[in-house]
Each structure stands twice: as C-alpha cells, then as structure tokens.
Amino acid sequence: MTHAMVLGQRALREAWRTPEALLPTLFIPLFFLVVNVGQAGKIFPTGSTPFLEGQNYAAFQLPSSILLAASFGSAALYLVEDIEGGYFDKLRAAPVSRTAIVLGRLAAEAAKSVAITTAIVLLALPFGISIASGPIGFLLLILLTASWAVVFAGFMQLIALKTRSAAATNSGGLVFFPLLFLTPNFVPRDLLTRPMEIASTYNPVTYIMEGLRSLILEDLAWAPIGRGFAVVAVLGVLMVALNVRTIRRYD
Amino acid sequence: MARRTLAGMALAVEAEQLVKHYSGRGGAVEAVRGVDLTVEAGEVFGFLGPNGAGKSTTVRMLTTLMSITSGSARVAGIDVAADPDGARRKIGVALQEAGLDARQTGRELVILQARLFGSSRTQAAGRAQELLELVDLVEAADRRIKGYSGGMKRRLDLASALVHEPEVLFLDEPTTGLDPASRLTVWEELRRINGRGTTIFLTTQYLEEADQLCDRLAIIDDGLIVREGTPADLKTELRERRGLATEPTLDEVFLDVTGRTRERTAGEVQEVQG
Ligand SMILES: Nc1ncnc2c1ncn2[C@@H]1O[C@H](COP(=O)(O)OP(=O)(O)OP(=O)(O)O)[C@@H](O)[C@H]1O
Ligand SMILES: [Mg+2]
C-alpha cells in the first residue's frame, strides 16, 4: 500500500509539472458545455421540458462534460514515456507488487479527476446549475466520475502496456468517441431513435451518465446511481486485473 | 541451497544453460542459446561481446526483467524465476538505457527508489543524500533530471541502483557515451562500491574498461559463451596458441574469439564505404 502511495505521489508530481497536459482536460470539457448548451439550449427551455426537472439545459449537459474530462487517460502516455525511457524497467526490477505499480498511477488519476470534476462543477454553478441531490449527491457525483476516470485510464494503460507505443495509445484513446457519443448525451434515452437507443443501451457509459444526471437533476435516486456505480465497479476490477496480469507477463 | 565454492563463499551469480528465444513478426530470434555462468561473491565480472551477442538479454533474465525460455539462474543464491521479489531485494540494476524519469529531481528519484525498497521517509532522505554525495551530484540534486548531462544521468542511475546496498550490482554498459573523464569517475565509483563488498556484473564494449576493472571475464558471441577467464589468462592463452612474441591486448583476444580478424573488420568497413 505504501508503494502504491509513493508511486501515486510521483504520478501527481508528474502531472503537476506538466500543466500543458493538465489544462486542456479542464478547458476542453468546459468548451463543449458552452457550445452544446449554446446550440441546443433554446430547443429545451426549462419550463416546458419535463426531463430537465426544472433546471436549465446546461444541468442536463454537465454529465457529458465531466465524463469527457475524465476520459483523457493521460496517465497512459506518461506510462509509455516510462517504458520508452527505461524507468518502467527500473520499477519492475524493484520488489514492488505489480498491483501497486498499477494502482499507483490509477490512484493519481482518481485524485486528478476529483480536482478537475470539482473545478468544473464549481465553475458551472454560476450558470444556474444546482446539484439537486445535495452535498451527499455532490460527493457521489465526484466519486462516480473519478471511478470512471480510473476505468478509462486503466483501459488506456492496458493499450500502453501491450503496444508500448505513444501513437497506438493515442489512437486507443479515440474509443472515447463511441463511448461518449453513443449515449443519451443530448436527450434522455427514451427520446433517441431506435438504433441509437439500442447502441446506448449496450454502452456502459450510458449508465454512468444517467447516474450522474440523476444526481444533478433529482434528489437521491438509488436505482440509477446504483447502476452507475455497479458498472464502474465491474469495469474497474476488470481493468486492474488485466493491467496486473499484463505487467506480470511483460517481457 | 545455493552452491558454494571450495572457499565456502556463496556464488553471486549462477546460470545454467540459460536460453532466450524472442518470438517476433519475423520469426523467432535465438538471442541466448545456452549460457553457463558463475560469478563469485566480491568479484567484478565483465561480460563482453559484439553488438547483438545477447549481453543485455542475459542481464535482463538475471535481473528478473525477462522470462527465461529454458535453463535456470540464481542470484545471491535465489532462483530468479521462482522468487523474483527475493532476488530483486538482493540486486541493483542499471540498464543500458539509464532508466530515469525526466520530470523528477535527482533527489526525488533516489528517495522514491529507497522507499520502494522499504525505507521510511526519513531513512530514504538520508540514504539519498549519502548516495548523491557518493556520485557527486549533491549540487544538481534538486534540479529536474531533464537538464542533466549524459554523465550525470549515468551516475544518478548508478546511485539509484544502490539504495538498498545490493549484494550484486548489474550494470549494462555503464560507461557507454561518457567522456574519458566521466568514465574514469565511474570506474572509481565502481571500485569503491566493490571495495565495500558488492559483487559487480557489468557488460561493456570497452575492452580497456574490462581490463582495468574486471577480475574475470566472459565473452559471449551469438548467444554462446566463447571464452571465460581472467584478463591475464585470456591474453596468455592467445599468446601461446598463436606463438606471439609479445602479450596481446584484450582487443586482440576479443577479435580472435569473436571470429573477427582485423583484416576482415577493415574489409567490412570498406564495403560500407563502397
Ligand atoms: N525485444 C526483442 N525482440 C526480438 N529480438 C530481440 C529483442 N531484444 C533483442 N533482440 C535480439 O536478440 C539479440 C541479442 O540482443 P541483445 O540486446 O541481448 O544484445 P547485446 O549483446 O546487448 O547487444 P548491444 O551490444 O548492441 O547492446 C539480437 O539479435 C537482438 O536483435
Ligand atoms: Mg545491450
């Protein structure tokens, strides 16, 4: 555990010292929030759009933005640098459990996500968004988002470990397009066209998005929240297990 | 049980019929084809060979970084395949590509390494200071590694391999790319480290280095050990076999055993030029 912690601290130092990689993860999602609301906000006025639960369209869009912020997976690119530069071998040659090597970076990714998500939500509050589920809901929202960040970073690290290439890892990151856009990100699922509805039903991110959305728009509704957490829990365990296995077999 | 020599010293490194096959797109590469090695505790052992002979591959197997296709290896009496973490506690490793993290400072890197080997925060800070003094990097210690010169990086890599006072230190080309002065500094450091009882297993391209530093050598070519002995033994053997009037240099021994005569080497160079 100590090992995972010191490795996590190192990963955070690394992120902190690379602001040029950190800042886009804050500003690109905010940009999308402003643009999406600017384009579709008038179609969905607060008073006459039941699925907004009395809030404005920005509140409905907020989950897409914070999920986007949590889907950069920049940890994996640092991992590729470690592999290319030989530092990864240095870690592997230390008597450190392979799980700690994986968890170190993922813990740092979770911490980064907590900070960025908090910043985005706080920046969104002045635009008339409120978290209807209260302070507990706010914490759950941060936790659910950070857990997704861990899953996504875990997936990216897996590609990094398998391919050991920055180009391949970057390309792998493009899965965030289907993952984030084959979702009910503009309207609720029941308003999607049939093919889109089917696609989003099979997309795990849909359930995380619906969980986050319910935390913003409604009082604590345990069914969607529970589905969101169940999805990240299953995927999280799977990603950590696959990462550890890949490092064990790494040659 | 680790095998012991007659004098009762445990062997620092023992490899039996080590084999490594890489499987790649272009078919399998037999990088190491049955290597036997014994290094006694306290020795400086040199592992020489031409490019692609299998030096790094052997080092990576001995240091638990790479799976062993067949054969077995023990380091400080511990089987590297059966108990990799046990072996890792006993060995220090500085690989051919100095494994550093450019965004940290030298001090942070050494402290982290000490923490990974089980030191507490304060112990790690103390140990880092000691090691940075040893490799003469105290002044640069709090600067980012990104700005270090090649020689500084090598020395830092060496320092970070020593955090846990390893019994056996593996160095893959520790002086490649260093200027003559930095090379001498590293030699001095290695002698000092060896003087404190650490066994050193190093690979090098510099025969002068092997001659100066190593108690014993093995030469590997095309995945097989082709000569083994003290530098003096190897030279004497060549002198007697060739009936030479003067003692040959280690360069000549190397060219002789790797099947490359001076003439052929010169010819190859000409081909490239033509
Ligand atoms: N990851 C790999 N995949 C496939 N083949 C490899 C791999 N690593 C090394 N080889 C091959 O194995 C052989 C031995 O390589 P190795 O790096 O051990 O040689 P070396 O003696 O360290 O050479 P050098 O002096 O150039 O460092 C070479 O033919 C090399 O091409
Ligand atoms: Mg090599």
Side-chain angles (χ1 to χ4, degrees):
Chain A
M1 221 56 248
T2 325
H3 286 160
M5 233 175 63
V6 290
L7 288 170
Q9 284 164 359
R10 175 221 161 202
L12 282 178
R13 256 197 319 262
E14 181 180 69
W16 188 247
R17 288 175 187 175
T18 323
E20 65 274 20
L22 200 56
L23 287 178
T25 59
L26 182 59
F27 287 112
I28 294 176
L30 283 173
F31 172 80
F32 268 95
L33 183 62
V34 171
V35 168
N36 287 347
V37 173
Q39 305 233 7
K42 265 194 183 166
I43 313 172
F44 305 111
T46 304
S48 56
T49 314
F51 67 74
L52 292 182
E53 311 276 350
Q55 291 213 47
N56 61 27
Y57 189 61
F60 187 84
Q61 272 293 315
L62 187 59
S64 305
S65 283
I66 59 182
L67 282 176
L68 176 63
S71 310
F72 277 82
S74 40
L77 290 172
Y78 293 122
L79 176 60
V80 174
E81 278 184 22
D82 280 353
I83 291 174
E84 286 174 342
Y87 190 71
F88 188 62
D89 283 336
K90 182 151 250 170
L91 290 182
R92 289 198 308 129
V96 176
S97 86
R98 310 294 109 163
T99 313
I101 296 181
V102 173
L103 289 183
R105 277 205 179 283
L106 293 184
E109 208 60 11
K112 265 195 284 181
S113 177
V114 166
I116 289 173
T117 311
T118 307
I120 293 178
V121 173
L122 291 181
L123 287 169
L125 291 180
F127 297 92
I129 297 171
S130 61
I131 308 295
S133 55
I136 295 177
F138 175 71
L139 290 179
L140 289 175
L141 175 129
I142 301 288
L143 184 63
L144 184 54
T145 312
S147 307
W148 167 250
V150 167
V151 169
F152 194 81
F155 170 76
M156 294 279 286
Q157 287 198 43
L158 204 54
I159 303 177
L161 288 167
K162 294 266 187 205
T163 65
R164 305 177 194 183
S165 135
T169 305
N170 264 324
S171 305
L174 297 179
V175 295
F176 97 88
F177 275 111
L179 282 177
L180 255 60
F181 292 104
L182 295 179
T183 53
N185 61 324
F186 277 97
V187 290
R189 223 182 328 160
D190 51 7
L191 297 182
L192 295 172
T193 61
R194 186 71 187 136
M196 195 63 186
E197 188 189 343
I198 294 170
S200 66
T201 301
Y202 285 106
N203 181 356
V205 178
T206 295
Y207 302 97
I208 303 165
M209 189 177 281
E210 288 177 350
L212 293 173
R213 194 165 277 154
S214 97
L215 286 166
I216 295 169
L217 299 179
E218 312 168 79
D219 197 3
L220 293 169
W222 295 110
I225 299 170
R227 277 196 294 272
F229 275 101
V231 167
V232 289
V234 170
L235 292 178
V237 168
L238 184 70
M239 287 307 155
V240 171
L242 289 174
N243 270 271
V244 170
R245 196 179 74 154
T246 311
I247 296 189
R248 288 230 170 88
R249 294 182 177 179
Y250 189 98
D251 236 3
Chain B
M1 263 306 288
R3 251 172 59 210
R4 278 161 199 279
T5 60
L6 286 178
M9 297 275 278
L11 289 171
V13 180
E14 248 181 298
E16 279 165 37
Q17 284 302 302
L18 265 193
V19 172
K20 178 71 191 182
H21 293 176
Y22 290 108
S23 48
R25 288 198 191 104
V29 178
E30 298 183 12
V32 174
R33 303 190 293 149
V35 160
D36 293 315
L37 283 173
T38 52
V39 179
E40 278 171 35
E43 269 188 317
V44 179
F45 184 83
F47 198 43
L48 314 180
N51 290 133
K55 302 182 295 296
S56 295
T57 303
T58 305
V59 168
R60 294 174 74 82
M61 285 192 283
L62 293 176
T63 53
T64 76
L65 289 172
M66 191 170 264
S67 63
I68 295 171
T69 305
S70 70
S72 69
R74 286 167 178 279
V75 174
I78 297 173
D79 188 303
V80 296
D83 181 11
D85 271 345
R88 286 170 189 143
R89 284 192 194 93
K90 305 264 184 188
I91 63 181
V93 186
L95 295 173
Q96 197 165 345
E97 298 86 22
L100 302 172
D101 165 8
R103 288 192 188 84
Q104 318 284 315
T105 68
R107 190 186 302 280
E108 285 167 347
L109 184 107
V110 181
I111 289 178
L112 173 58
Q113 193 70 9
R115 299 276 279 148
L116 295 180
F117 277 89
S119 298
S120 71
R121 205 180 295 235
T122 31
Q123 281 169 341
R127 184 75 184 134
Q129 181 62 25
E130 244 173 80
L131 289 167
L132 290 163
E133 280 166 19
L134 176 78
V135 299
D136 197 16
L137 280 177
V138 177
E139 265 171 50
D142 297 305
R143 298 209 310 262
R144 305 260 173 96
I145 294 165
K146 198 175 191 155
Y148 285 19
S149 73
M152 291 162 81
K153 284 183 183 161
R154 280 281 170 200
R155 274 150 44 214
L156 181 63
D157 200 27
L158 187 60
S160 79
L162 293 171
V163 288
H164 54 303
E165 304 190 13
E167 283 179 35
V168 188
L169 181 59
F170 287 89
L171 304 169
D172 196 358
E173 303 198 15
T175 62
T176 297
L178 298 192
D179 67 43
S182 308
R183 179 166 303 143
L184 286 178
T185 317
V186 170
W187 289 3
E188 285 292 300
E189 274 151 18
L190 294 184
R191 287 200 185 99
R192 225 177 305 156
I193 292 161
N194 179 243
R196 295 182 189 176
T198 304
T199 308
I200 298 181
F201 184 112
L202 67 92
T203 79
T204 180
Q205 300 284 358
Y206 302 104
L207 297 156
E208 153 84 2
E209 177 165 298
D211 215 355
Q212 290 278 328
L213 279 180
C214 299
D215 301 313
R216 236 154 37 81
L217 308 172
I219 300 178
I220 182 173
D221 191 18
D222 203 10
L224 288 169
I225 303 277
V226 288
R227 278 292 186 291
E228 209 177 335
T230 65
D233 286 347
L234 297 180
K235 290 183 225 171
T236 308
E237 188 273 340
L238 180 65
R239 179 168 55 80
E240 286 172 358
R241 182 158 47 82
R242 288 269 184 88
L244 302 174
T246 56
E247 189 84 335
T249 63
L250 209 47
D251 285 71
E252 285 165 312
V253 172
F254 184 84
L255 293 171
D256 172 67
V257 297
T258 57
R260 270 152 236 210
T261 60
R262 285 245 160 108
E263 296 78 62
R264 239 187 78 197
T265 311
E268 280 166 10
V269 172
Q270 268 173 8
E271 258 169 54
V272 173
Q273 284 168 344

Coordinates of all heavy atoms in Angstrom, one line a residue, chain B residues 56 96 172-173, ligand 2:
Chain B
S56 N 22.7 -7.9 -23.2 CA 21.5 -7.3 -22.5 C 20.4 -8.3 -22.2 O 19.8 -8.3 -21.1 CB 20.9 -6.2 -23.3 OG 21.9 -5.1 -23.5
Q96 N 21.0 -0.6 -19.8 CA 21.7 0.1 -20.9 C 21.1 1.5 -21.2 O 21.8 2.5 -21.4 CB 21.6 -0.8 -22.2 CG 22.6 -0.4 -23.3 CD 22.7 -1.4 -24.4 OE1 22.3 -2.6 -24.2 NE2 23.3 -1.1 -25.5
D172 N 24.6 -2.6 -17.2 CA 24.6 -2.9 -18.6 C 25.2 -1.7 -19.3 O 24.6 -0.6 -19.4 CB 23.2 -3.2 -19.2 CG 23.3 -3.9 -20.5 OD1 24.4 -4.1 -21.1 OD2 22.2 -4.3 -21.0
E173 N 26.5 -1.8 -19.7 CA 27.2 -0.7 -20.4 C 27.1 0.6 -19.6 O 26.6 1.6 -20.1 CB 26.6 -0.5 -21.8 CG 26.7 -1.8 -22.6 CD 26.6 -1.5 -24.1 OE1 26.8 -0.3 -24.5 OE2 26.4 -2.5 -24.9
Ligands
MG2 MG 22.9 -4.5 -24.9

